[in-house]
């Protein structure tokens, strides 16, 4: 987290903090966008993600960062999602995967990619993460 070490010694970006998460679902109108808050907690050896949306919340089961170059990496995580009590339906909990790409030098404040929810939901869609100030 020390900027001097981050700048000269470590290529893995520091993702800690709060992000705005924008998604669309294959199960609804393709123009309908959902907004949530994504909290990323990252240390040298661990990374954890928690998403808080209007109707659901989820947390990472496993996560990792794949460094390709100094300006290209992928953040990937598997999550367990559950509806909040007031929105609970027959679906209940489900697992899913998300993969986003970031270019920490040329565009450090956003990531884009896709998600896929497991066989109980059969949904997928684009994901955009925007770092909050």
């Amino acid at each position: 987290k020390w900027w001097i070490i981050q700048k000269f010694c470590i290529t893995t970006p520091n993702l800690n903090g709060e992000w705005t998460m924008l998604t669309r679902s294959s199960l609804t109108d393709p123009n309908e966008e959902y907004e949530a808050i994504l909290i990323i907690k990252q240390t040298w050896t661990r990374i954890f993600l928690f998403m808080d949306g209007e109707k659901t919340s989820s947390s990472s089961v496993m996560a990792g960062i794949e460094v390709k170059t100094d300006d290209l990496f992928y953040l990937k995580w598997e999550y367990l999602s559950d509806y909040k009590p007031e929105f609970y339906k027959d679906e209940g909990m489900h697992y899913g995967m998300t993969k986003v790409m970031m270019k920490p030098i040329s565009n450090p404040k956003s990531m884009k990619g896709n998600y896929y929810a497991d066989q109980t939901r059969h949904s997928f869609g684009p994901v955009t993460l925007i770092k909050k100030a």
Side-chain angles (χ1 to χ4, degrees):
K1 294 181 186 178
W2 297 336
W3 72 271
I4 193 80
I5 292 174
Q6 182 77 33
K7 185 164 179 77
F8 297 108
C9 300
I10 300 172
T11 58
T12 305
N14 178 2
L15 303 176
N16 277 297
E18 196 170 296
W19 297 74
T20 299
M21 183 174 189
L22 304 171
T23 62
R24 290 191 303 271
S25 172
S26 62
L27 298 177
T28 61
D29 176 351
N31 296 317
E32 188 174 357
E33 194 166 60
Y34 301 95
E35 184 174 325
I37 300 300
L38 183 72
I39 305 293
I40 301 177
K41 299 286 186 182
Q42 177 187 7
T43 66
W44 183 249
T45 58
R46 295 185 180 176
I47 187 165
F48 174 76
L49 298 96
F50 176 77
M51 186 275 300
D52 187 21
E54 179 187 344
K55 297 180 181 180
T56 63
S57 63
S58 68
S59 58
S60 60
V61 176
M62 62 180 164
I65 297 172
E66 181 182 352
V67 178
K68 294 293 189 180
T69 69
D70 61 344
D71 194 35
L72 176 62
F73 80 92
Y74 293 98
L75 171 63
K76 305 178 212 178
W77 71 96
E78 178 184 1
Y79 61 85
L80 177 59
S81 181
D82 198 6
Y83 280 94
K84 294 180 178 179
E86 62 270 27
F87 297 105
Y88 186 80
K89 299 177 184 176
D90 294 334
E91 294 110 4
M93 297 187 298
H94 69 274
Y95 286 95
M97 297 287 296
T98 303
K99 178 181 177 181
V100 293
M101 180 180 72
M102 182 178 184
K103 295 186 171 195
I105 296 171
S106 59
N107 190 9
K109 300 293 184 187
S110 78
M111 296 185 257
K112 290 187 177 206
N114 294 288
Y115 81 92
Y116 168 77
D118 71 7
Q119 67 272 12
T120 62
R121 300 261 309 154
H122 297 291
S123 66
F124 56 89
V127 174
T128 300
L129 302 177
I130 302 165
K131 178 75 171 178
K132 289 192 165 196

